[in-house]
């Protein structure tokens, strides 16, 4: 039994490596599907803006309200904007938004491609001379790579707005003072690693969703299985990528 699990894991890893090679190779082929890429950026980005806005705003409010009692105890209320800004932009914002997108985007891609696979639409594309990897996979992964960082930046901004709202409700501070304190504490060591993480998160979300949907082969039941597996796998990869990037960043900045 352990040998079978190990062998299945190796086969799955090999399939993912081959799938990645196919994705990378088709990026540079002629006839790139720009229209489909723009459509996917709209579906992934614009269609997710509502939940992202709500999540970012509430995240800022909750983080501010949770930290206020402790900060008041030490007489450090003026540091709340800085604390919210650094914690959200450096770590909490990218991870929370990526996990939400894993649940929404990765599951949607997995279910969509799995449904196309079950109904033999992908095979029909191949027979008709179209390139299903370039049309279905490359466009979705690139759209995730582009839109997940943009959604994270927007959510970070909404978190600061939420933090300001919570601060105003419980204290007396001007918008100029709040956002000056929140933004002046940031430097490139906060922004660049966070941006780099979101790009990797976007790739993981798009790649896992496409791989699970594109390789499903268990009939109609595979649609739900692909969606569920895409969410779980993408979420695990997000946590792993975050841990690796944090470790590498700390070793570079503080070594």
């Amino acid at each position: 039994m352990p040998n079978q699990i190990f062998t299945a894991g190796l086969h799955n890893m090999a399939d993912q490596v081959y799938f990645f090679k196919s994705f990378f190779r088709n990026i540079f082929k002629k006839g790139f599907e720009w229209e489909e890429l723009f459509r996917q950026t709209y579906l992934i980005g614009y269609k997710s803006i509502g939940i992202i806005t709500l999540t970012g705003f509430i995240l800022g409010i909750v983080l501010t309200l949770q930290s206020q009692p402790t900060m008041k105890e030490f007489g450090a209320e003026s540091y709340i904007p800085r604390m919210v800004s650094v914690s959200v932009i450096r770590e909490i914002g990218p991870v929370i938004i990526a996990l939400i997108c894993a649940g929404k985007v990765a599951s949607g891609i997995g279910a969509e491609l799995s449904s196309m696979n079950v109904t033999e639409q992908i095979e029909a594309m191949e027979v008709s001379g179209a390139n299903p990897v370039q049309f279905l996979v490359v466009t979705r992964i690139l759209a995730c790579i582009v839109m997940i960082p943009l959604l994270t930046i927007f959510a970070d901004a909404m978190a600061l707005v939420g933090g300001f709202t919570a601060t105003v409700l419980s204290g007396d501070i001007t918008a100029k003072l709040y956002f000056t304190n929140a933004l002046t504490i940031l430097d490139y060591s906060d922004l660049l690693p966070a941006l780099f993480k979101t790009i990797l998160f976007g790739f993981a979300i798009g790649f896992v969703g496409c791989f699970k949907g594109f390789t499903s082969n268990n009939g109609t039941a595979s649609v739900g299985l692909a969606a569920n597996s895409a969410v779980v796998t993408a979420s695990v990869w997000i946590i792993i990528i975050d841990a690796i990037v944090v470790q590498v960043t700390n070793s570079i900045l503080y070594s």
Side-chain angles (χ1 to χ4, degrees):
M1 187 68 177
N3 290 336
Q4 292 179 349
I5 296 175
F6 181 72
T7 302
L10 288 179
H11 281 299
N12 185 263
M13 187 179 300
D15 290 340
Q16 292 186 51
V17 171
Y18 178 80
F19 192 76
F20 174 77
K21 288 174 60 179
S22 180
F23 155 73
F24 190 77
R25 186 170 58 248
N26 279 277
I27 293 177
F28 305 101
K29 281 190 175 181
K30 293 182 179 180
F32 188 83
E33 302 288 346
W34 291 102
E35 184 176 348
E36 179 65 10
L37 175 63
F38 294 143
R39 190 178 78 89
Q40 290 300 321
T41 55
Y42 169 79
L43 294 175
I44 293 171
Y46 181 76
K47 293 292 186 178
S48 303
I49 200 69
I51 185 65
I52 295 301
T53 300
L54 181 63
T55 301
F57 187 75
I58 293 178
L59 180 63
I61 291 178
V62 171
L63 191 59
T64 300
L65 294 179
Q66 288 286 352
S67 61
Q68 275 181 342
T70 303
M71 302 297 273
K72 284 183 178 180
E73 184 178 348
F74 290 96
E77 290 180 84
S78 61
Y79 289 95
I80 291 178
R82 301 183 182 185
M83 183 275 300
V84 172
S85 175
V86 171
S87 57
V88 167
I89 292 175
R90 180 185 289 181
E91 183 64 26
I92 300 177
V95 174
I96 294 298
I97 299 306
L99 291 174
I100 289 176
C101 290
K104 185 179 186 301
V105 177
S107 62
I109 293 175
E112 180 185 15
L113 295 189
S114 178
S115 177
M116 295 180 68
N117 199 10
V118 169
T119 56
E120 299 181 348
Q121 295 181 50
I122 296 178
E123 293 182 5
M125 292 179 65
E126 294 176 344
V127 171
S128 63
N131 188 340
V133 174
Q134 189 177 58
F135 185 82
L136 299 174
V137 175
V138 173
T139 54
R140 282 162 174 78
I141 294 178
L142 291 182
C144 287
I145 292 174
V146 172
M147 295 310 301
I148 300 303
L150 295 179
L151 289 173
T152 303
I153 292 172
F154 183 77
D156 291 343
M158 293 307 303
L160 294 181
V161 174
F164 170 69
T165 303
T167 304
V168 168
L169 293 177
S170 58
D172 184 18
I173 187 173
T174 64
K176 181 179 180 180
L177 179 60
Y178 180 90
F179 287 103
T180 298
N181 289 339
L183 298 178
T184 53
I185 191 64
L186 299 173
D187 57 26
Y188 289 112
S189 64
D190 300 313
L191 301 176
L192 293 182
L195 179 61
F196 180 66
K197 275 196 299 189
T198 58
I199 294 173
L200 295 180
F201 292 161
F203 172 79
I205 292 169
F207 181 84
V208 170
C210 289
F211 176 77
K212 294 297 183 181
F214 210 81
T215 58
S216 60
N217 54 7
N218 294 324
T220 55
S222 65
V223 177
L225 292 175
N228 181 69
S229 180
V231 175
V232 174
T233 307
S235 299
V236 171
W237 271 113
I238 287 167
I239 296 171
I240 293 174
I241 291 171
D242 182 58
I244 294 173
V245 172
V246 168
Q247 182 63 36
V248 172
T249 302
N250 289 342
S251 64
I252 293 175
L253 295 177
Y254 304 110
S255 59

Short mmCIF file of all heavy atoms in Angstrom, two decimals, residues 124-183:
data_model
loop_
_atom_site.label_atom_id
_atom_site.label_comp_id
_atom_site.label_asym_id
_atom_site.label_seq_id
_atom_site.Cartn_x
_atom_site.Cartn_y
_atom_site.Cartn_z
N ALA A 124 -12.60 17.70 -29.06
CA ALA A 124 -13.15 18.30 -30.27
C ALA A 124 -12.28 19.46 -30.74
O ALA A 124 -12.10 19.67 -31.96
CB ALA A 124 -14.58 18.76 -30.02
N MET A 125 -11.73 20.23 -29.80
CA MET A 125 -10.84 21.32 -30.17
C MET A 125 -9.58 20.79 -30.84
O MET A 125 -9.10 21.35 -31.83
CB MET A 125 -10.47 22.15 -28.93
CG MET A 125 -11.62 22.93 -28.33
SD MET A 125 -11.13 23.86 -26.85
CE MET A 125 -9.97 25.03 -27.57
N GLU A 126 -9.04 19.70 -30.30
CA GLU A 126 -7.85 19.10 -30.89
C GLU A 126 -8.12 18.59 -32.30
O GLU A 126 -7.30 18.76 -33.21
CB GLU A 126 -7.34 17.97 -30.00
CG GLU A 126 -6.82 18.44 -28.64
CD GLU A 126 -6.42 17.27 -27.76
OE1 GLU A 126 -6.82 16.13 -28.08
OE2 GLU A 126 -5.71 17.50 -26.76
N VAL A 127 -9.28 17.94 -32.49
CA VAL A 127 -9.63 17.41 -33.81
C VAL A 127 -9.82 18.53 -34.83
O VAL A 127 -9.44 18.39 -36.00
CB VAL A 127 -10.92 16.56 -33.70
CG1 VAL A 127 -11.42 16.16 -35.09
CG2 VAL A 127 -10.66 15.32 -32.86
N SER A 128 -10.37 19.65 -34.37
CA SER A 128 -10.61 20.77 -35.28
C SER A 128 -9.35 21.57 -35.59
O SER A 128 -9.40 22.52 -36.37
CB SER A 128 -11.68 21.70 -34.70
OG SER A 128 -11.22 22.28 -33.49
N GLY A 129 -8.24 21.21 -34.98
CA GLY A 129 -6.99 21.89 -35.26
C GLY A 129 -6.66 23.02 -34.30
O GLY A 129 -5.63 23.67 -34.45
N ALA A 130 -7.51 23.26 -33.30
CA ALA A 130 -7.23 24.30 -32.31
C ALA A 130 -6.23 23.77 -31.29
O ALA A 130 -5.98 22.58 -31.19
CB ALA A 130 -8.52 24.73 -31.62
N ASN A 131 -5.66 24.69 -30.54
CA ASN A 131 -4.69 24.34 -29.50
C ASN A 131 -5.35 24.54 -28.14
O ASN A 131 -5.39 25.65 -27.63
CB ASN A 131 -3.44 25.22 -29.63
CG ASN A 131 -2.32 24.79 -28.70
OD1 ASN A 131 -2.56 24.09 -27.72
ND2 ASN A 131 -1.11 25.20 -28.99
N PRO A 132 -5.88 23.47 -27.54
CA PRO A 132 -6.62 23.64 -26.28
C PRO A 132 -5.73 24.11 -25.12
O PRO A 132 -6.21 24.82 -24.24
CB PRO A 132 -7.18 22.24 -26.01
CG PRO A 132 -6.31 21.31 -26.78
CD PRO A 132 -5.88 22.07 -27.99
N VAL A 133 -4.46 23.72 -25.11
CA VAL A 133 -3.57 24.17 -24.03
C VAL A 133 -3.37 25.67 -24.11
O VAL A 133 -3.44 26.38 -23.11
CB VAL A 133 -2.21 23.42 -24.10
CG1 VAL A 133 -1.26 23.99 -23.07
CG2 VAL A 133 -2.41 21.93 -23.88
N GLN A 134 -3.13 26.18 -25.32
CA GLN A 134 -2.92 27.61 -25.47
C GLN A 134 -4.20 28.40 -25.19
O GLN A 134 -4.17 29.46 -24.57
CB GLN A 134 -2.42 27.91 -26.88
CG GLN A 134 -1.97 29.36 -27.07
CD GLN A 134 -1.41 29.60 -28.45
OE1 GLN A 134 -2.10 29.39 -29.45
NE2 GLN A 134 -0.17 30.02 -28.53
N PHE A 135 -5.33 27.87 -25.64
CA PHE A 135 -6.59 28.59 -25.49
C PHE A 135 -7.15 28.50 -24.08
O PHE A 135 -7.64 29.49 -23.53
CB PHE A 135 -7.62 28.04 -26.49
CG PHE A 135 -8.92 28.79 -26.49
CD1 PHE A 135 -9.06 29.97 -27.20
CD2 PHE A 135 -10.01 28.32 -25.77
CE1 PHE A 135 -10.25 30.67 -27.20
CE2 PHE A 135 -11.21 29.01 -25.77
CZ PHE A 135 -11.33 30.19 -26.48
N LEU A 136 -7.08 27.31 -23.48
CA LEU A 136 -7.73 27.08 -22.19
C LEU A 136 -6.79 27.25 -21.00
O LEU A 136 -7.19 27.77 -19.96
CB LEU A 136 -8.34 25.67 -22.15
CG LEU A 136 -9.41 25.37 -23.18
CD1 LEU A 136 -9.81 23.90 -23.11
CD2 LEU A 136 -10.61 26.27 -23.00
N VAL A 137 -5.56 26.80 -21.13
CA VAL A 137 -4.64 26.75 -19.99
C VAL A 137 -3.80 28.01 -19.88
O VAL A 137 -3.77 28.67 -18.83
CB VAL A 137 -3.74 25.50 -20.08
CG1 VAL A 137 -2.71 25.52 -18.97
CG2 VAL A 137 -4.58 24.23 -20.02
N VAL A 138 -3.11 28.35 -20.96
CA VAL A 138 -2.19 29.49 -20.92
C VAL A 138 -2.92 30.78 -20.56
O VAL A 138 -2.45 31.56 -19.71
CB VAL A 138 -1.47 29.65 -22.27
CG1 VAL A 138 -0.64 30.93 -22.30
CG2 VAL A 138 -0.57 28.45 -22.54
N THR A 139 -4.07 31.01 -21.16
CA THR A 139 -4.80 32.25 -20.90
C THR A 139 -5.26 32.34 -19.45
O THR A 139 -5.20 33.42 -18.84
CB THR A 139 -6.02 32.35 -21.83
OG1 THR A 139 -6.82 31.15 -21.70
CG2 THR A 139 -5.57 32.48 -23.28
N ARG A 140 -5.70 31.23 -18.88
CA ARG A 140 -6.20 31.26 -17.51
C ARG A 140 -5.07 31.43 -16.49
O ARG A 140 -5.21 32.17 -15.51
CB ARG A 140 -6.99 29.98 -17.22
CG ARG A 140 -8.39 30.00 -17.82
CD ARG A 140 -9.01 28.61 -17.92
NE ARG A 140 -10.40 28.67 -18.37
CZ ARG A 140 -10.75 28.86 -19.63
NH1 ARG A 140 -9.82 29.01 -20.57
NH2 ARG A 140 -12.04 28.92 -19.96
N ILE A 141 -3.97 30.76 -16.72
CA ILE A 141 -2.85 30.90 -15.79
C ILE A 141 -2.27 32.31 -15.84
O ILE A 141 -2.01 32.93 -14.81
CB ILE A 141 -1.76 29.85 -16.09
CG1 ILE A 141 -2.30 28.44 -15.81
CG2 ILE A 141 -0.52 30.11 -15.24
CD1 ILE A 141 -1.31 27.34 -16.13
N LEU A 142 -2.09 32.85 -17.04
CA LEU A 142 -1.56 34.21 -17.16
C LEU A 142 -2.53 35.23 -16.58
O LEU A 142 -2.10 36.22 -15.97
CB LEU A 142 -1.27 34.53 -18.63
CG LEU A 142 -0.11 33.77 -19.28
CD1 LEU A 142 0.08 34.23 -20.72
CD2 LEU A 142 1.18 33.97 -18.50
N ALA A 143 -3.82 35.00 -16.76
CA ALA A 143 -4.81 35.92 -16.18
C ALA A 143 -4.73 35.90 -14.66
O ALA A 143 -4.83 36.96 -14.01
CB ALA A 143 -6.21 35.53 -16.64
N CYS A 144 -4.51 34.73 -14.08
CA CYS A 144 -4.35 34.65 -12.62
C CYS A 144 -3.07 35.35 -12.18
O CYS A 144 -3.07 36.05 -11.15
CB CYS A 144 -4.32 33.18 -12.18
SG CYS A 144 -5.91 32.33 -12.25
N ILE A 145 -2.00 35.18 -12.91
CA ILE A 145 -0.73 35.82 -12.56
C ILE A 145 -0.87 37.34 -12.58
O ILE A 145 -0.27 38.05 -11.76
CB ILE A 145 0.39 35.36 -13.52
CG1 ILE A 145 0.69 33.88 -13.29
CG2 ILE A 145 1.64 36.19 -13.35
CD1 ILE A 145 1.68 33.30 -14.28
N VAL A 146 -1.67 37.85 -13.51
CA VAL A 146 -1.86 39.30 -13.62
C VAL A 146 -2.84 39.82 -12.58
O VAL A 146 -2.59 40.84 -11.91
CB VAL A 146 -2.33 39.67 -15.04
CG1 VAL A 146 -2.72 41.15 -15.11
CG2 VAL A 146 -1.24 39.38 -16.06
N MET A 147 -3.95 39.13 -12.39
CA MET A 147 -5.05 39.69 -11.61
C MET A 147 -4.93 39.46 -10.11
O MET A 147 -5.38 40.30 -9.33
CB MET A 147 -6.39 39.12 -12.10
CG MET A 147 -6.76 39.52 -13.51
SD MET A 147 -6.63 41.31 -13.81
CE MET A 147 -7.78 41.94 -12.61
N ILE A 148 -4.33 38.36 -9.67
CA ILE A 148 -4.23 38.12 -8.23
C ILE A 148 -3.42 39.22 -7.54
O ILE A 148 -3.83 39.73 -6.48
CB ILE A 148 -3.64 36.73 -7.94
CG1 ILE A 148 -4.52 35.63 -8.55
CG2 ILE A 148 -3.48 36.52 -6.44
CD1 ILE A 148 -5.95 35.64 -8.08
N PRO A 149 -2.25 39.64 -8.09
CA PRO A 149 -1.56 40.78 -7.46
C PRO A 149 -2.39 42.06 -7.45
O PRO A 149 -2.38 42.80 -6.45
CB PRO A 149 -0.30 40.94 -8.33
CG PRO A 149 -0.07 39.60 -8.92
CD PRO A 149 -1.43 39.03 -9.15
N LEU A 150 -3.12 42.34 -8.54
CA LEU A 150 -3.94 43.55 -8.58
C LEU A 150 -5.07 43.48 -7.56
O LEU A 150 -5.38 44.48 -6.90
CB LEU A 150 -4.50 43.74 -9.99
CG LEU A 150 -3.47 44.02 -11.09
CD1 LEU A 150 -4.16 44.18 -12.44
CD2 LEU A 150 -2.66 45.28 -10.77
N LEU A 151 -5.69 42.32 -7.44
CA LEU A 151 -6.74 42.16 -6.44
C LEU A 151 -6.19 42.31 -5.03
O LEU A 151 -6.85 42.88 -4.15
CB LEU A 151 -7.40 40.78 -6.60
CG LEU A 151 -8.29 40.59 -7.83
CD1 LEU A 151 -8.72 39.13 -7.94
CD2 LEU A 151 -9.51 41.50 -7.77
N THR A 152 -4.98 41.81 -4.81
CA THR A 152 -4.37 41.93 -3.49
C THR A 152 -4.06 43.38 -3.16
O THR A 152 -4.28 43.84 -2.03
CB THR A 152 -3.08 41.10 -3.42
OG1 THR A 152 -3.38 39.74 -3.74
CG2 THR A 152 -2.46 41.16 -2.04
N ILE A 153 -3.54 44.12 -4.13
CA ILE A 153 -3.26 45.55 -3.91
C ILE A 153 -4.55 46.30 -3.57
O ILE A 153 -4.58 47.14 -2.65
CB ILE A 153 -2.59 46.15 -5.16
CG1 ILE A 153 -1.19 45.57 -5.34
CG2 ILE A 153 -2.52 47.68 -5.06
CD1 ILE A 153 -0.53 45.96 -6.65
N PHE A 154 -5.61 46.00 -4.29
CA PHE A 154 -6.89 46.66 -4.02
C PHE A 154 -7.41 46.28 -2.63
O PHE A 154 -7.92 47.13 -1.89
CB PHE A 154 -7.92 46.27 -5.09
CG PHE A 154 -9.24 46.94 -4.93
CD1 PHE A 154 -9.41 48.26 -5.32
CD2 PHE A 154 -10.33 46.27 -4.40
CE1 PHE A 154 -10.64 48.89 -5.17
CE2 PHE A 154 -11.55 46.88 -4.25
CZ PHE A 154 -11.70 48.20 -4.63
N ALA A 155 -7.27 45.01 -2.26
CA ALA A 155 -7.72 44.57 -0.94
C ALA A 155 -6.90 45.22 0.17
O ALA A 155 -7.44 45.58 1.23
CB ALA A 155 -7.62 43.04 -0.84
N ASP A 156 -5.59 45.39 -0.06
CA ASP A 156 -4.75 46.08 0.92
C ASP A 156 -5.22 47.52 1.12
O ASP A 156 -5.27 48.02 2.26
CB ASP A 156 -3.29 46.08 0.45
CG ASP A 156 -2.67 44.70 0.50
OD1 ASP A 156 -3.23 43.81 1.17
OD2 ASP A 156 -1.62 44.50 -0.14
N ALA A 157 -5.56 48.18 0.01
CA ALA A 157 -6.06 49.55 0.12
C ALA A 157 -7.37 49.59 0.90
O ALA A 157 -7.58 50.47 1.75
CB ALA A 157 -6.25 50.15 -1.28
N MET A 158 -8.26 48.64 0.63
CA MET A 158 -9.53 48.59 1.36
C MET A 158 -9.31 48.26 2.83
O MET A 158 -10.07 48.72 3.69
CB MET A 158 -10.45 47.57 0.72
CG MET A 158 -10.92 47.94 -0.68
SD MET A 158 -11.67 49.58 -0.77
CE MET A 158 -12.99 49.44 0.42
N ALA A 159 -8.28 47.47 3.14
CA ALA A 159 -7.98 47.17 4.54
C ALA A 159 -7.55 48.43 5.28
O ALA A 159 -7.92 48.63 6.45
CB ALA A 159 -6.88 46.11 4.61
N LEU A 160 -6.77 49.27 4.62
CA LEU A 160 -6.38 50.54 5.25
C LEU A 160 -7.59 51.44 5.46
O LEU A 160 -7.70 52.12 6.48
CB LEU A 160 -5.34 51.24 4.39
CG LEU A 160 -3.97 50.54 4.25
CD1 LEU A 160 -3.03 51.38 3.40
CD2 LEU A 160 -3.36 50.29 5.62
N VAL A 161 -8.50 51.43 4.48
CA VAL A 161 -9.74 52.20 4.64
C VAL A 161 -10.55 51.65 5.81
O VAL A 161 -11.11 52.41 6.61
CB VAL A 161 -10.56 52.18 3.34
CG1 VAL A 161 -11.92 52.85 3.55
CG2 VAL A 161 -9.81 52.88 2.21
N GLY A 162 -10.63 50.33 5.90
CA GLY A 162 -11.34 49.72 7.02
C GLY A 162 -10.69 50.04 8.35
O GLY A 162 -11.38 50.32 9.35
N GLY A 163 -9.35 50.01 8.39
CA GLY A 163 -8.65 50.37 9.61
C GLY A 163 -8.90 51.81 10.00
O GLY A 163 -9.08 52.12 11.20
N PHE A 164 -8.93 52.69 9.02
CA PHE A 164 -9.22 54.10 9.29
C PHE A 164 -10.64 54.27 9.83
O PHE A 164 -10.88 55.03 10.77
CB PHE A 164 -9.03 54.93 8.03
CG PHE A 164 -9.53 56.34 8.14
CD1 PHE A 164 -8.87 57.25 8.95
CD2 PHE A 164 -10.66 56.75 7.44
CE1 PHE A 164 -9.32 58.57 9.06
CE2 PHE A 164 -11.12 58.05 7.55
CZ PHE A 164 -10.46 58.96 8.37
N THR A 165 -11.58 53.54 9.24
CA THR A 165 -12.97 53.61 9.70
C THR A 165 -13.09 53.18 11.15
O THR A 165 -13.76 53.85 11.96
CB THR A 165 -13.86 52.73 8.81
OG1 THR A 165 -13.75 53.12 7.44
CG2 THR A 165 -15.32 52.82 9.25
N ALA A 166 -12.44 52.07 11.50
CA ALA A 166 -12.50 51.60 12.89
C ALA A 166 -11.81 52.57 13.84
O ALA A 166 -12.27 52.76 14.97
CB ALA A 166 -11.84 50.22 12.99
N THR A 167 -10.73 53.19 13.40
CA THR A 167 -10.02 54.15 14.25
C THR A 167 -10.85 55.39 14.49
O THR A 167 -10.89 55.93 15.60
CB THR A 167 -8.68 54.54 13.60
OG1 THR A 167 -7.91 53.35 13.35
CG2 THR A 167 -7.89 55.46 14.51
N VAL A 168 -11.52 55.87 13.45
CA VAL A 168 -12.36 57.06 13.58
C VAL A 168 -13.52 56.81 14.53
O VAL A 168 -13.90 57.68 15.33
CB VAL A 168 -12.87 57.50 12.19
CG1 VAL A 168 -13.97 58.54 12.33
CG2 VAL A 168 -11.73 58.06 11.36
N LEU A 169 -14.10 55.63 14.47
CA LEU A 169 -15.25 55.31 15.31
C LEU A 169 -14.89 55.25 16.79
O LEU A 169 -15.75 55.45 17.65
CB LEU A 169 -15.86 53.98 14.88
CG LEU A 169 -16.52 53.96 13.50
CD1 LEU A 169 -17.02 52.56 13.17
CD2 LEU A 169 -17.67 54.96 13.44
N SER A 170 -13.62 54.96 17.08
CA SER A 170 -13.23 54.83 18.49
C SER A 170 -12.22 55.88 18.92
O SER A 170 -11.71 55.82 20.04
CB SER A 170 -12.61 53.44 18.71
OG SER A 170 -11.49 53.25 17.86
N GLY A 171 -11.92 56.84 18.07
CA GLY A 171 -10.93 57.85 18.43
C GLY A 171 -11.08 59.08 17.56
O GLY A 171 -12.03 59.22 16.79
N ASP A 172 -10.11 59.96 17.68
CA ASP A 172 -10.13 61.22 16.93
C ASP A 172 -8.85 61.32 16.14
O ASP A 172 -7.78 61.62 16.69
CB ASP A 172 -10.28 62.41 17.90
CG ASP A 172 -10.41 63.73 17.14
OD1 ASP A 172 -10.72 63.67 15.93
OD2 ASP A 172 -10.21 64.78 17.76
N ILE A 173 -8.93 61.08 14.83
CA ILE A 173 -7.76 61.13 13.97
C ILE A 173 -8.21 61.55 12.57
O ILE A 173 -9.28 61.14 12.10
CB ILE A 173 -7.03 59.76 13.91
CG1 ILE A 173 -5.72 59.87 13.13
CG2 ILE A 173 -7.93 58.71 13.32
CD1 ILE A 173 -4.88 58.62 13.19
N THR A 174 -7.42 62.35 11.93
CA THR A 174 -7.75 62.80 10.59
C THR A 174 -7.28 61.77 9.56
O THR A 174 -6.38 60.97 9.83
CB THR A 174 -7.09 64.14 10.28
OG1 THR A 174 -5.66 63.99 10.29
CG2 THR A 174 -7.51 65.19 11.31
N ALA A 175 -7.90 61.81 8.39
CA ALA A 175 -7.52 60.89 7.32
C ALA A 175 -6.07 61.11 6.90
O ALA A 175 -5.33 60.16 6.65
CB ALA A 175 -8.46 61.06 6.13
N LYS A 176 -5.66 62.37 6.84
CA LYS A 176 -4.29 62.68 6.42
C LYS A 176 -3.29 62.10 7.40
O LYS A 176 -2.29 61.48 7.00
CB LYS A 176 -4.10 64.18 6.31
CG LYS A 176 -2.70 64.59 5.87
CD LYS A 176 -2.57 66.10 5.75
CE LYS A 176 -1.17 66.48 5.31
NZ LYS A 176 -1.02 67.97 5.19
N LEU A 177 -3.55 62.26 8.70
CA LEU A 177 -2.62 61.74 9.70
C LEU A 177 -2.60 60.21 9.69
O LEU A 177 -1.52 59.61 9.78
CB LEU A 177 -3.03 62.24 11.09
CG LEU A 177 -2.17 61.75 12.27
CD1 LEU A 177 -0.73 62.18 12.08
CD2 LEU A 177 -2.74 62.27 13.59
N TYR A 178 -3.76 59.60 9.56
CA TYR A 178 -3.82 58.14 9.56
C TYR A 178 -3.04 57.55 8.40
O TYR A 178 -2.18 56.67 8.58
CB TYR A 178 -5.28 57.67 9.49
CG TYR A 178 -5.42 56.17 9.49
CD1 TYR A 178 -5.53 55.46 10.68
CD2 TYR A 178 -5.42 55.45 8.29
CE1 TYR A 178 -5.65 54.08 10.68
CE2 TYR A 178 -5.53 54.06 8.28
CZ TYR A 178 -5.64 53.39 9.47
OH TYR A 178 -5.74 52.03 9.47
N PHE A 179 -3.33 58.01 7.20
CA PHE A 179 -2.70 57.41 6.02
C PHE A 179 -1.23 57.82 5.91
O PHE A 179 -0.42 57.07 5.35
CB PHE A 179 -3.47 57.79 4.76
CG PHE A 179 -4.78 57.09 4.63
CD1 PHE A 179 -5.97 57.74 4.90
CD2 PHE A 179 -4.82 55.75 4.26
CE1 PHE A 179 -7.18 57.08 4.79
CE2 PHE A 179 -6.03 55.08 4.15
CZ PHE A 179 -7.22 55.75 4.41
N THR A 180 -0.85 58.96 6.47
CA THR A 180 0.56 59.32 6.50
C THR A 180 1.34 58.36 7.39
O THR A 180 2.41 57.84 7.02
CB THR A 180 0.75 60.76 7.01
OG1 THR A 180 0.09 61.66 6.12
CG2 THR A 180 2.23 61.11 7.09
N ASN A 181 0.78 58.08 8.58
CA ASN A 181 1.42 57.12 9.48
C ASN A 181 1.44 55.71 8.89
O ASN A 181 2.41 54.96 9.08
CB ASN A 181 0.70 57.09 10.82
CG ASN A 181 0.92 58.35 11.64
OD1 ASN A 181 1.90 59.06 11.42
ND2 ASN A 181 0.03 58.62 12.57
N ALA A 182 0.37 55.34 8.18
CA ALA A 182 0.27 53.99 7.63
C ALA A 182 1.24 53.76 6.48
O ALA A 182 1.79 52.66 6.33
CB ALA A 182 -1.16 53.72 7.17
N LEU A 183 1.47 54.78 5.67
CA LEU A 183 2.25 54.59 4.45
C LEU A 183 3.73 54.92 4.60
O LEU A 183 4.57 54.34 3.91
CB LEU A 183 1.66 55.44 3.31
CG LEU A 183 0.22 55.08 2.91
CD1 LEU A 183 -0.29 56.01 1.82
CD2 LEU A 183 0.11 53.63 2.46
#
